[in-house]
Amino acid sequence: MKVIVVGAGIVGAACAFHAVSAGLDVTVLDRGPVGAGTTSRGEGNILLSDKEPGPELELARLSRALWDEAGEELGSASLEWEAKGGLVVAASPEALTALHAFAERQTAAGVRAVRVDRPADLEPHSAPGLAGGVHYPQDAQVQPVLAAAALLRAAVRGGARLHTGEAAAAVTGAGGRITGVRTADGTVLAADAVVNAAGTWGGEVGRRLGAPVEILPRRGFVLVTEPLPPMIRHKVYSADYVANVAADGAGLETSCVVEGTRAGTILIGASRERVGFDTTMNPAVVAVLAAQACRLFPFLRGVHLIRAYRGFRPYCPDHLPVVGPDPRVSGVLHACGHEGAGIGLAPGTGALITAHLLGRPWRGADPAAHTGLLPDRFLTTGGVPT
């Protein structure tokens, strides 16, 4: 089977990695360098802690196990893998009650979650007076561009071909089935299947494939501090983060997320706003994020920011990724719309796409167990995306 993966970010890299491992003939296309899109604008989070029980959490649990396997196969150093765990904190008793209820639902779904009465026991530099928190030992982190590159290198070693600087300009087909992809220079590459792993541009790529899906951009900022001695041990965020991820409003939403990196820098997020593809730097957002981080970790008031970057999370209207074959065009599969969770969900997505291509379970991914992510959930009886 000849498979073309459109997109060389973390999700496309994982799709290529698993498809090659299953013995498929794989070509990866991207108009830019490896991991240059949303992958390069993220923090590298691999989280179970922020997901409600349901289709996304099940994909996250599968992905967490596959990240462990990838670390063993590729070497944890090549990914900058850190099994640091997460700590979610609540500032008030009311927020803590809601957080405990959320954690109980996750525990029932198979997530390890441990109540913490004193967040300072796990994070000595956190602010005094926090009501409590929940520790999630399964949360982890990678350096996203390095991880995407490592997965693609492994795929290429297994026989995959990587073409950067070559966009998928159009498709060829017959009888409602994909037979190939035409690149911008006019070259036609034969294909039995095409995987749309184009991230924020997944909507446009889907349209070119004759199978449009509603993938929308959601802008976010991340702040980076000067390098410091180790000061923050976990990924630490406030309990309102989960609600902000799931919110549907178009306006600015912020919630405090703070974590250290191996390089010593501290990453501070997270903001979300629906502004299309507007890349304007907004100092007001930077100020809000910085203030929230200083309230959670007061020592940050004396630390310099060295830069702030922004990017676009690709999201679907129901805040779930779209993963699987499109019923409108045979041979088209989607692997996009992961919003801010693409790094964490990439291995499970790659395994699930491979299982769909093979027509059988692969590496623990069973299509029958993940039907809530299929693209047909967006289709009306007339086959038009809602």
Side-chain angles (χ1 to χ4, degrees), residues 184-311:
D185 66 1
T187 302
V188 176
L189 303 174
D192 300 300
V194 179
V195 179
N196 173 16
T200 309
W201 298 102
E204 171 62 19
V205 170
R207 185 189 64 77
R208 295 178 186 180
L209 295 171
V213 287
E214 191 172 6
I215 307 296
L216 305 169
R218 206 175 185 191
R219 189 175 69 185
F221 286 76
V222 176
L223 317 184
V224 186
T225 73
E226 62 186 313
L228 301 169
M231 300 288 284
I232 299 175
R233 302 173 179 177
H234 306 80
K235 176 187 174 65
V236 185
Y237 62 88
S238 56
D240 61 349
Y241 175 82
V242 175
N244 283 348
V245 170
D248 291 318
L252 174 66
E253 295 162 348
T254 62
S255 51
C256 190
V257 182
V258 185
E259 62 191 310
T261 69
R262 284 190 176 182
T265 57
I266 293 174
L267 306 180
I268 298 168
S271 67
R272 286 173 166 78
E273 50 188 334
R274 287 164 51 184
V275 293
F277 286 100
D278 182 358
T279 61
T280 302
M281 173 57 71
N282 188 340
V285 176
V286 174
V288 169
L289 293 176
Q292 290 178 339
C294 290
R295 285 195 292 271
L296 184 55
F297 287 98
F299 78 88
L300 289 171
R301 295 191 181 102
V303 173
H304 292 97
L305 288 178
I306 59 173
R307 67 186 179 103
Y309 60 91
R310 64 271 193 202

Side-chain angles (χ1 to χ4, degrees), residues 28-66:
V28 180
L29 298 179
D30 199 300
R31 63 183 182 179
V34 171
T38 298
T39 297
S40 68
R41 305 294 172 169
E43 298 169 78
N45 296 326
I46 299 169
L47 304 182
L48 301 183
S49 57
D50 65 339
K51 294 172 179 62
E52 285 272 8
E56 187 180 31
L57 180 57
E58 291 309 304
L59 184 62
R61 293 180 64 218
L62 170 65
S63 290
R64 181 62 181 82
L66 291 173

Side-chain angles (χ1 to χ4, degrees), residues 5 21 26 55 73 111 131 169 181 187 206 216 252 294 305 323 325-327 338:
V5 177
S21 298
V26 176
E73 182 173 345
V111 176
V181 171
T187 302
L216 305 169
L252 174 66
C294 290
L305 288 178
V323 182
D326 195 291
H338 295 77

